Amino acid sequence: MQPAPPTDPAPTDPARGVSDAALSTGAVARHLGVSPTTLRSWERRYAIGPAFREEGRHRRWTPRDVARLELMCRLTAQGVPPSEAARAALGTPPGSAAVRPAPVPAGAPGGSAALPLGEVRPECRGLARAAVRLDAPTVARLLDAALAEHGLVTAWEEVLAPTLHAVGRKWASAGERYVEVEHLLSWQISAAMSRIRPLAERPRTRPLLLACAPGEQHSLPIEALTAALGERGLPVRMFGAALPADALREAARRTGPQAVVLWAQTRTTADDGLARSVAAIEWGQRGARGHPALLLAGPGWGTRTPAPRSRRLFGLRSGLAVIEALVAGAAPSTGAARAEPAAYGS
């Protein structure tokens, strides 16, 4: 993760004429959430480029250069044309509040599209900017970079989920606007997680059956759990969104799973009767019948456990701990390893 560029000038090496804190074009692009091609285009069109180049014409961006680009990004996100934003950024010292663009109508592109992120990692801001621009290639690249740098669990909890939550809040506060941003971001996150290669399944381990409750279309959190379990070599049978109740029960009977994880985003899809019927499923010969552990995930279940041998999962990280302990034969008691539900939802 690239830290935010410092506001004070960093020490400069007189022999090289460039700050020790200067960044490459790729690092600046990741920080801003734009593509390197966009930075080169801005430099060519608007002369908003780096102050220094290393031998071989490699660009090196100083904190002052990056601050100008940040201002340009803020202005363009508010609907200011790029040419005007570049002039303002070049003519205003970094950190100055002198440039205050005129209010932009709510319907203008990007005029009120900034997502309410709050205190988050810089990667969230870059990802949010790219999603609002509907820049799918940049969103995909930023997601792959976050997963590679932080690992799936940390990336989900600290980058992917916070950005998804911000999109959801924006959508909720703006009626039907920005739905396209949520759909694009959700699809790209799903695709990025599907690119994570699972390990070979552990031998002699009963499978884990994962599914969304009937009628439940929000599958991203359980997709994250599927990918994380696959990284650990645990056998997973993932059935995705809105699995019909009869199909869920039949899949459990056929696979004899160690556990069934049932996701419900809302109370309307969290069916207590279905939970009890899944927990009651048996397989095997008489006298040696088995039952699945039922793990209820998602905010739709609240804090309740409506069926025997059921347990609530709260959070991706703690949910993984519960499942790994269950597979190892030392499952914690109900309610153990609890974390914030928001860390698992979207």
Side-chain angles (χ1 to χ4, degrees):
M1 180 183 71
Q2 289 291 341
T7 55
D8 297 328
T12 299
D13 181 348
R16 298 170 61 225
V18 61
S19 165
D20 290 338
L23 303 176
S24 68
T25 297
V28 174
R30 288 192 295 273
H31 171 75
L32 296 173
V34 301
S35 69
T37 301
T38 297
L39 295 182
R40 289 190 285 269
S41 174
W42 287 353
E43 180 183 5
R44 184 175 65 254
R45 294 182 181 182
Y46 312 120
I48 186 165
F52 300 101
R53 290 177 184 269
E54 292 182 335
E55 293 183 10
R57 299 180 61 82
H58 292 296
R59 295 167 176 80
R60 301 294 291 177
W61 302 78
T62 66
R64 181 179 292 271
D65 298 328
V66 177
R68 289 194 178 103
L69 290 173
E70 288 177 329
L71 177 57
M72 182 167 177
C73 286
R74 287 198 298 272
L75 295 176
T76 54
Q78 293 171 344
V80 177
S83 58
E84 295 181 19
R87 282 196 294 270
L90 288 167
T92 305
S96 171
V99 176
R100 296 184 182 275
V104 180
S112 59
L115 299 179
L117 288 164
E119 294 296 324
V120 293
R121 285 181 176 270
E123 294 98 318
C124 295
R125 301 191 183 282
L127 183 59
R129 292 189 191 106
V132 168
R133 294 195 307 272
L134 303 182
D135 184 352
T138 299
V139 170
R141 179 178 54 79
L142 293 173
L143 289 171
D144 286 343
L147 290 166
E149 181 173 355
H150 302 298
L152 172 61
V153 176
T154 299
W156 173 262
E157 293 180 341
E158 300 186 18
V159 181
L160 279 62
T163 309
L164 281 167
H165 293 154
V167 172
R169 289 194 295 271
K170 190 70 175 179
W171 179 21
S173 65
E176 292 300 314
R177 298 180 62 213
Y178 309 111
V179 175
E180 71 282 3
V181 177
E182 182 181 35
H183 277 242
L184 181 137
L185 181 59
S186 297
W187 172 255
Q188 291 293 335
I189 289 175
S190 179
M193 291 191 297
S194 71
R195 291 191 289 270
I196 298 174
R197 294 176 63 88
L199 295 180
E201 292 184 354
R202 298 180 191 177
R204 296 183 297 278
T205 301
R206 296 212 312 274
L208 302 161
L209 192 157
L210 279 63
C212 293
E216 181 57 72
Q217 298 292 337
H218 293 80
S219 63
L220 272 182
I222 204 166
E223 291 178 45
L225 179 59
T226 299
L229 292 170
E231 283 187 319
R232 289 153 176 78
L234 293 173
V236 178
R237 305 294 179 261
M238 167 62 160
F239 293 88
L243 183 65
D246 289 343
L248 173 61
R249 288 187 285 262
E250 182 62 19
R253 292 189 186 96
R254 292 179 59 187
T255 59
Q258 181 92 19
V260 174
V261 182
L262 189 57
W263 173 269
Q265 179 80 8
T266 65
R267 290 188 178 183
T268 57
T269 59
D271 186 337
D272 291 0
L274 175 61
R276 288 190 290 270
S277 69
V278 171
I281 290 173
E282 296 181 336
W283 60 81
Q285 298 181 0
R286 188 178 300 278
R289 292 188 180 275
H291 297 268
L294 178 60
L295 305 177
L296 302 173
W301 299 105
T303 58
R304 68 188 189 278
T305 51
R309 295 182 301 278
S310 67
R311 182 177 292 121
R312 282 286 284 114
L313 297 185
F314 297 92
L316 178 57
R317 189 181 303 273
S318 60
L320 283 169
V322 169
I323 292 172
E324 289 192 295
L326 179 68
V327 171
S333 60
T334 301
R338 177 165 178 160
E340 288 299 322
Y344 197 36
S346 65

